[in-house]
Amino acid sequence: VSIAVKIFELFQQNLCDQIVLLTGDTDLIPAVVTARRLYQKPISIIFPYKRINAAFSSVTDQQFKIKKDTYEKYQFDDPL
């Protein structure tokens, strides 16, 4: 719920031109659909590695996937 509320807050106060969500959870779809309809601003989805959900393809403007090597490239060193 907090992510959905933040989407509406950002769009309502005109604090951004686009929202990009890092998720694969379909519970955000109703908020995405409604926010896009009310504010006519794009919302894109980035799927975590090994995660994809086709349900987002018809409700978001763009979808991206994070590849395994991207995680490895930006991962912090193991402190042990």
Side-chain angles (χ1 to χ4, degrees), residues 17-44:
D17 296 322
Q18 177 176 0
I19 290 180
V20 179
L21 299 170
L22 176 62
T23 187
D25 297 332
T26 57
D27 60 339
L28 288 172
I29 288 178
V32 168
V33 169
T34 304
R36 286 182 68 224
R37 179 174 45 82
L38 292 175
Y39 299 102
Q40 291 85 43
K41 291 186 177 188
I43 298 178
S44 300

Side-chain angles (χ1 to χ4, degrees), residues 40-56:
Q40 291 85 43
K41 291 186 177 188
I43 298 178
S44 300
I45 296 290
I46 300 176
F47 294 108
Y49 175 63
K50 287 193 173 181
R51 184 85 187 265
I52 192 161
N53 198 316
F56 281 106

Side-chain angles (χ1 to χ4, degrees), residues 59-76:
V59 300
T60 57
D61 296 279
Q62 294 178 314
Q63 302 84 39
F64 305 94
K65 292 185 258 182
I66 296 178
K67 298 177 183 177
K68 182 181 179 182
D69 60 335
T70 303
Y71 278 111
E72 293 171 348
K73 182 177 177 183
Y74 295 103
Q75 187 172 12
F76 291 118

Side-chain angles (χ1 to χ4, degrees), residues 8-24:
F8 283 90
E9 177 186 8
L10 292 170
F11 280 168
Q12 177 62 33
Q13 294 180 9
N14 203 28
L15 296 174
C16 66
D17 296 322
Q18 177 176 0
I19 290 180
V20 179
L21 299 170
L22 176 62
T23 187

